[in-house]
Structure formats: structure tokens, C-alpha cells
Amino acid sequence: MEYGYYDNQNREYVITRPDTPAPWMNYLGTGQFSGLISNTAGGLIFYSDPSSHRITRYRFNEIPWDRPGRYLYLRDMEDGAYWSPTWQPVMREPDAYECRHGYGYTRISSSTKGIEARLTYFIPLGKKYELWKVELTNQTKAQRTLRAFTYMEFCSYEASYDLKADWPRYFMTGFREGNAVVFDPSDDWIKVPERLSFIGTDMDISGYDCARDAFIGKYRSEGNPIAVETGACKNTEVNADNCCGSVSVDISLEASETKTFYLVVGITDDRNKIQGIIASAVKEAEEDFGKLAHFWKEHVNRIQIETPDEEMNTMINCWHPYQCRMTFHWSRFISYYERGLGRGLGYRDSMQDVLGVMHAIPEQVKERIKTLLSIQYSRGDARAVYFPGTGKSDGGGRSDDHLWGIFSVCSYIR
């Protein structure tokens, strides 16, 4: 293939060049704290429901494509050159590039100016945060001094307002808390228990920015942010304006040395808990990644086949069970083609989705069927969609929704 290949041994899809025909997405999380991530780190993060609790922004049909996302910039502090290890958004041509979409994680590796970077993004099972593991290696014979900057845009949670209007930014507050940047979308109209979002690190930070305009600059984009170009954040906080999450850290690398640090994106109900969340997330990172691998291995191995067609084996043994499980969790919530506004769990769609995982997770299937049946009318038809983030439902009147309920219930009983 021109852009990548299946690695069946590691159960990964390997993308060998960043300029794919469209953003090639992976799904992180198992239905609660979750996210989309592309092969160049575009995408978004949400909690429970991408319509009512969207944490980061993503602009569909944007030019350039696939922005914004979870970005890391590296700046050589000696000559001022900067680049993105994920290619986007700076789009400096790397000397080497590879993206591996695996089960519940994405790992993007690249090499530029003698610095090898490997970023692993994943959401631990049952946790309310996403981890970025950053590994940097100096491939040269000289000492290198780098400054790394993060960038992501916070969303006002109510995605429909945030995407369609300018005024939600007037309810945004951003501030520093230790080695983290915290976003508060205001409790004037955002009524969720864990209202604060944050991005933080286990490193000492050299600077930060909450103000998007301060980090990016006027008439600029994510591709040439003024803070990275000049080499320093402005340590801005925000009250009633667009809020971003940028922290910078300084890294010194001896010849052939590798250093690792972490970034944590999460939610909480108390700013005083953030440092503890970051510390425990980093401490448990390797163990949690192992648990994630075991979870998916156990799920996928419930059914394995062997046929003379290797491509059929790849799809049925590796990717079909992964996709069915993700579809069970996400229904038609959100993807690169669906904006995550007003969809939730469709009654008809989700009654079909349970069929793909019934053999593997029967108890969860049972609970999903019961949830869907709870929005069926006594007259037979059902409400069209259920929103797990709020418990509300909407629509109805279709002639076939209830028929899928019968088929799924009978299949479960059998």
C-alpha cells in the first residue's frame, strides 16, 4: 500500500507517511473519557458525550485539514528552528515518520534535525484523563538544548454553541495551577460536576499560556505560533476569551541520550486535586498501558479463525472485533464524518451494534438493551436517540426501531 500496512504480529496499522488522503483516525477510551486522534495528532477529547461535555475543539471541514489536535512543538534553542514531531501542524518535512494505530492507543514517531521523538497517546481504563508519553532521543554527537511546547484548544463543553457562535468564549476562564493549565467554562450555564479541564506535566514548566491569541498571535495559525517562534510563552491567563492549553518545558540531551516525560489531559471538580491526579497518572502509566493491552487482547481473542485468505484473517481476527467494540461504546456519536452534535446512542443503530459484541461482553450488552428499551413507547415505537451524558432522549415515530429491539433481545436470550 502507498500509505501504510497491517502489522498483524503487533495488531497495529502502520502509517508510513503523514500526508494521507484524509485524516486516518483511531479511537481512544471505552465510552467515558474518550477521544479521536489522527495520524498527525488531530482530533478531540470528550467525557461521556461529545455533544454536552466536549473538552477540546476540532474544526470539521477546516483548511488546513485536521486541526486542531493534541500538539507538541520542539524548538532548538540554539538556532531557533522548530517543528512538530507529529508533522502537523508545522508540517516541516521529517527525516523519518511512522504512526502506529493500535488497540486504544496511537504512537507517532519521527526524526527531525537529529532528534528522534516518540509520542504515545492513550486513555487508561476507567480513568478520566488522557496520557501523552513523550520520549526524546538525541541522535547527534553534540549536546542539544530543546524547549517543548504543548497546544490544544479548550471547548465550551456544549459543542453546538461552541462550534456555531462566538459568544461562548466570554464564559471561559483559564489559569495556571502548579505545572498545569486549567480551563473553567463557567458554572453560569455549564452544569457538570467535574467542570474543570486541564493539561499538565510531571516536569517543571518554563512557561505557560491560557490565552489562545497570546500563544498563536494575530493573523497566525497553529503552524507558526508566535510563542514557539520567539521561544517563550507569555504566561497569560484568561477571563472571557478563547482558552488554550500550553505549557513549555526545557530539555537538555547529551549525545545519544533519551529522556521521557508525560503530559496529562483530564477533568476534575477541584483545582487542588490536579497535582495529585498528574502524579498518580505518571506513576501508574506503565502499569495502566499494560492493563489496556491485556483488556484488548482478552476481548479480541474471544473468537479467532483461520482461513486460506490472510486478509480475511486480518479483518476478522484483529480489526473487526476492535471496531465492533468501539462502535458499541460510541454508537454514531462522533467521527471524522459525524460532528457529535445531537446523535448520542441511536435506538436502531445501537440495537444493531450489540450484535457484534454479544459473544464477548454479554452483561454489558444486557444493560445496553435495557437502557434502550427504557426509551421505547408503550405504543411500540421508540425515541430515536438516547444521550448517556444527560440521560435525556429525543425523537421517535420510526416504523422499524422497535423491530430491531425484538431481534436483539431474542439474540441475547439465545
Side-chain angles (χ1 to χ4, degrees), residues 354-388:
V354 300
L355 302 172
V357 293
M358 199 171 281
H359 67 284
I361 49 170
E363 287 305 311
Q364 292 184 49
V365 164
K366 178 182 177 181
E367 293 306 311
R368 177 61 54 79
I369 290 175
K370 287 166 64 177
T371 296
L372 294 170
L373 289 176
S374 73
I375 63 170
Q376 185 168 337
Y377 289 113
S378 59
R379 65 183 182 235
D381 67 312
R383 287 187 173 270
V385 64
Y386 173 81
F387 300 99

Side-chain angles (χ1 to χ4, degrees), residues 247-387:
V247 295
S248 63
V249 299
D250 293 332
I251 301 125
S252 179
L253 293 170
E254 300 296 332
S256 303
E257 184 182 12
T258 297
K259 286 187 177 178
T260 301
F261 66 96
Y262 287 88
L263 294 150
V264 183
V265 181
I267 57 173
T268 182
D269 60 352
D270 185 350
R271 63 187 290 177
N272 296 317
K273 296 179 181 179
I274 292 172
Q275 301 308 310
I277 293 171
I278 293 171
S280 63
V282 172
K283 181 180 179 180
E284 299 164 4
E286 293 303 315
E287 181 183 357
D288 282 342
F289 192 77
K291 289 179 179 178
L292 184 69
H294 177 76
F295 168 85
W296 280 111
K297 181 179 180 180
E298 185 179 59
H299 177 77
V300 170
N301 286 346
R302 292 295 179 93
I303 289 181
Q304 294 285 286
I305 67 164
E306 185 175 349
T307 77
D309 189 326
E310 189 59 35
E311 291 184 355
M312 183 175 181
N313 295 342
T314 295
M315 289 309 299
I316 294 181
N317 291 336
C318 297
W319 298 105
H320 184 69
Y322 179 63
Q323 296 283 22
C324 284
R325 182 66 181 265
M326 284 301 190
T327 301
F328 172 78
H329 290 309
W330 292 54
S331 188
R332 308 304 179 271
F333 261 0
I334 191 168
S335 68
Y336 182 64
Y337 303 99
E338 171 52 57
R339 299 185 179 207
L341 304 177
R343 286 300 298 261
L345 299 176
Y347 186 97
R348 172 175 53 195
D349 298 341
S350 298
M351 278 295 190
Q352 296 171 16
D353 295 339
V354 300
L355 302 172
V357 293
M358 199 171 281
H359 67 284
I361 49 170
E363 287 305 311
Q364 292 184 49
V365 164
K366 178 182 177 181
E367 293 306 311
R368 177 61 54 79
I369 290 175
K370 287 166 64 177
T371 296
L372 294 170
L373 289 176
S374 73
I375 63 170
Q376 185 168 337
Y377 289 113
S378 59
R379 65 183 182 235
D381 67 312
R383 287 187 173 270
V385 64
Y386 173 81
F387 300 99

Side-chain angles (χ1 to χ4, degrees), residues 129-319:
Y129 54 77
E130 178 180 276
L131 274 165
W132 311 358
K133 181 182 180 181
V134 183
E135 300 167 273
L136 301 177
T137 300
N138 180 5
Q139 298 174 313
T140 71
K141 296 180 180 180
Q143 184 187 48
R144 302 291 294 275
T145 302
L146 306 174
R147 179 165 288 172
F149 300 78
T150 68
Y151 180 77
M152 48 184 256
E153 281 190 46
F154 288 106
C155 186
S156 187
Y157 294 2
E158 291 286 345
S160 61
Y161 293 114
D162 195 87
L163 293 173
K164 293 188 293 188
D166 181 62
W167 60 262
R169 69 186 173 97
Y170 297 116
F171 291 86
M172 295 182 178
T173 300
F175 54 89
R176 176 183 176 178
E177 180 64 42
N179 53 351
V181 161
V182 186
F183 171 65
D184 183 349
S186 173
D187 61 0
D188 289 346
W189 60 296
I190 300 295
K191 304 296 183 183
V192 293
E194 292 165 302
R195 198 181 68 250
L196 303 178
S197 301
F198 65 88
I199 178 170
T201 178
D202 59 332
M203 300 269 285
D204 292 332
I205 65 174
S206 57
Y208 69 95
D209 272 316
C210 303
R212 186 183 71 175
D213 287 352
F215 182 83
I216 297 292
K218 296 292 187 182
Y219 301 101
R220 289 172 173 258
S221 74
E222 305 98 332
N224 62 342
I226 191 66
V228 180
E229 189 171 293
T230 59
C233 290
K234 297 178 178 63
N235 298 336
T236 56
E237 299 195 343
V238 165
N239 184 14
D241 205 352
N242 285 300
C243 190
C244 73
S246 181
V247 295
S248 63
V249 299
D250 293 332
I251 301 125
S252 179
L253 293 170
E254 300 296 332
S256 303
E257 184 182 12
T258 297
K259 286 187 177 178
T260 301
F261 66 96
Y262 287 88
L263 294 150
V264 183
V265 181
I267 57 173
T268 182
D269 60 352
D270 185 350
R271 63 187 290 177
N272 296 317
K273 296 179 181 179
I274 292 172
Q275 301 308 310
I277 293 171
I278 293 171
S280 63
V282 172
K283 181 180 179 180
E284 299 164 4
E286 293 303 315
E287 181 183 357
D288 282 342
F289 192 77
K291 289 179 179 178
L292 184 69
H294 177 76
F295 168 85
W296 280 111
K297 181 179 180 180
E298 185 179 59
H299 177 77
V300 170
N301 286 346
R302 292 295 179 93
I303 289 181
Q304 294 285 286
I305 67 164
E306 185 175 349
T307 77
D309 189 326
E310 189 59 35
E311 291 184 355
M312 183 175 181
N313 295 342
T314 295
M315 289 309 299
I316 294 181
N317 291 336
C318 297
W319 298 105

